[in-house]
Amino acid sequence: MPYTTNPWLAQKKPDPEPEAPVSDETPALTGPAAPQEHVSAPERGQLPSCDRPGDVALWWVGAHGGAGESTLSALVPEWRGGGHCWPRPPDNERARVVLVARSSAYGLQAAQSAATQWAAGAVPYVELLGLVIIADAPGRLPRPLRDLAQVVGGGVPRAWQLPWVEAWRLGEPPEQTESPRAVRRLIKDLHLLINTTDVDADGVGERKEH
């Protein structure tokens, strides 16, 4: 008689497979790297511009209220939230910016408006690195929202999508080590982008993707 497993006995779960390492390659462009001449700024819904210091390595700019810029800014203390406005540094400097939006229709439309504002050249003091879309609810996005996210993401240099994080909803302090892999990959990507687009103090070098 062949041996059969007793279904009432707890079975040892297999060890989880190790996660693949986060890539050390600079994330490639998936959209336009700079504003385009044929794009017009939106008539409504534009983000305001606010004077900000020029010594910040990166700004998170929420395209709407509740986008998640405060949560992301807690992950890397030296990267700051822009307060839902484009940062305008002094002395003709340029501010590195990542737009942030939720994956709801409202959030994606707000992100599209902000991206169009940038693409029209309305904020020449901004170097837009990309857009982060944070899930607005657990589970898979409905098809219309997935399609809209793809369209909006195609209008910025790069786009990242982050999953729903229940701990953040419950008010737990965001920690890189405890965050989903997509969050850790985002932080790594941005560190790489900042390092590869730095220009030295003498003005030698170039921004590789412009």
Side-chain angles (χ1 to χ4, degrees):
M1 181 176 180
Y3 174 79
T4 58
T5 302
N6 188 334
W8 300 106
L9 294 178
Q11 300 298 310
K12 179 182 178 182
K13 295 183 180 180
D15 293 333
E17 295 183 2
E19 288 188 353
V22 177
S23 174
D24 287 331
E25 296 183 2
T26 303
L29 289 167
T30 56
Q36 301 95 57
E37 294 182 358
H38 63 279
V39 177
S40 299
E43 295 182 0
R44 295 181 298 175
Q46 294 192 41
L47 292 177
S49 294
C50 303
D51 292 334
R52 294 288 186 258
D55 58 351
V56 177
L58 182 139
W59 294 94
W60 305 103
V61 174
H64 57 90
E69 68 173 65
S70 297
T71 298
L72 293 179
S73 64
L75 291 169
V76 184
E78 61 267 29
W79 298 350
R80 301 185 188 178
H84 308 300
C85 69
W86 298 108
R88 182 173 51 215
D91 301 326
N92 296 318
E93 297 180 36
R94 299 183 73 198
R96 290 190 189 93
V97 168
V98 176
L99 281 172
V100 185
R102 292 287 177 175
S103 60
S104 63
Y106 172 77
L108 293 172
Q109 289 165 0
Q112 187 173 40
S113 178
T116 303
Q117 187 180 1
W118 165 80
V123 284
Y125 35 83
V126 166
E127 179 183 359
L128 185 63
L129 299 185
L131 165 68
V132 174
I133 300 173
I134 304 177
D136 68 312
R140 185 176 173 83
L141 276 180
R143 180 61 180 272
L145 293 180
R146 294 202 308 271
D147 292 344
L148 180 56
Q150 185 174 8
V151 170
V152 176
V156 294
R158 302 164 194 84
W160 296 268
Q161 295 200 33
L162 302 185
W164 175 264
V165 182
E166 185 67 20
W168 293 355
R169 183 192 187 199
L170 297 175
E172 296 183 18
E175 296 286 348
Q176 285 192 49
T177 56
E178 303 297 327
S179 297
R181 185 172 184 272
V183 176
R184 289 181 277 119
R185 183 173 61 244
L186 166 67
I187 300 302
K188 182 67 173 291
D189 284 350
L190 292 175
H191 274 298
L192 290 169
L193 286 170
I194 290 172
N195 290 336
T196 56
T197 58
D198 268 330
V199 178
D200 63 31
D202 296 327
V204 179
E206 60 180 0
R207 297 186 184 273
K208 297 181 179 180
E209 296 176 342
H210 290 260

